[in-house]
Amino acid sequence: MASRRQLKKNIQIVTSELLNYSYVNCFIYNKLTIEQLYEIMQKVAILNNDFLDRANHPDGTDNPKIVKVYYARLITEFNTQVEAACGEIEKTMNT
């Protein structure tokens, strides 16, 4: 991990791309309804806020090893959550 600042920027970039993808599929391709878009927006906003909050407040700030493991786990969990959100968006579009 380069820095906490870069991690937070990456979290925001990825979540904003999820929102952009949803907007495009709703308003340009008409694959999502407005209600489905609002649901996705709420879930992505919660995902964004949760991981930004967790990135700001690591556990065990006195021990660098604990912090390193914490951020590695945080990144892994974020990637898993983003993949799940992408799958859910795709599933919603195909129904």
Side-chain angles (χ1 to χ4, degrees), residues 4 6 13-14 24 28 48 53 59 62 70 83 89-90:
R4 186 182 314 177
Q6 190 62 40
I13 289 169
V14 170
V24 167
I28 294 179
N48 181 50
D53 186 47
D59 292 336
D62 298 334
Y70 176 82
E83 288 175 12
I89 292 169
E90 290 293 326

Side-chain angles (χ1 to χ4, degrees), residues 51-74:
F51 279 94
L52 286 178
D53 186 47
R54 289 172 60 189
N56 282 329
H57 305 290
D59 292 336
T61 55
D62 298 334
N63 189 343
K65 290 180 183 178
I66 293 173
V67 172
K68 186 175 182 178
V69 170
Y70 176 82
Y71 281 117
R73 189 173 355 112
L74 180 75

Side-chain angles (χ1 to χ4, degrees), residues 1-19:
M1 183 185 86
S3 69
R4 186 182 314 177
R5 179 179 173 193
Q6 190 62 40
L7 175 63
K8 292 190 305 185
K9 282 184 179 183
N10 288 341
I11 290 170
Q12 290 190 330
I13 289 169
V14 170
T15 54
S16 67
E17 285 298 318
L18 279 174
L19 288 176

Side-chain angles (χ1 to χ4, degrees), residues 28-40:
I28 294 179
Y29 298 120
N30 295 321
K31 292 184 178 180
L32 295 172
T33 64
I34 297 295
E35 292 80 20
Q36 291 171 327
L37 178 65
Y38 287 151
E39 275 185 41
I40 292 169

